[in-house]
Amino acid sequence: MIDVLSYGLIVLGIIFWFWGTLPLLGHRSVLFKLHSLSVSDTLGSMSIVLGCCSKFLGNGLCWC
């Protein structure tokens, strides 16, 4: 169950990363492009980190 959750979070993070690059192709202002890119990159990175942490902690590899 933890594997499904961790892989789901990692895939969700990758989707956020690619979703954030789509506004770069548009004709809006530079500030709008930077804002959407930074928000989606932050959400994607957090999802990937949470997915990796849940994967490692679910396997019993705790560094505490």
Side-chain angles (χ1 to χ4, degrees):
M1 182 65 185
I2 293 292
D3 289 336
V4 173
L5 176 70
S6 63
Y7 287 134
L9 284 172
I10 291 171
V11 168
L12 182 69
I14 291 172
I15 288 171
F16 273 130
W17 274 358
F18 283 117
W19 183 43
T21 58
L22 290 178
L24 293 177
L25 302 174
H27 296 291
R28 293 193 141 179
S29 69
V30 175
L31 293 178
F32 177 81
K33 291 177 183 181
L34 287 176
H35 174 70
S36 62
L37 183 66
S38 64
V39 168
S40 64
D41 278 350
T42 302
L43 288 174
S45 298
M46 286 181 2
S47 295
I48 290 172
V49 166
L50 285 175
C52 289
C53 286
S54 65
K55 178 76 173 154
F56 289 134
L57 294 177
N59 288 336
L61 300 174
C62 185
W63 54 85
C64 302

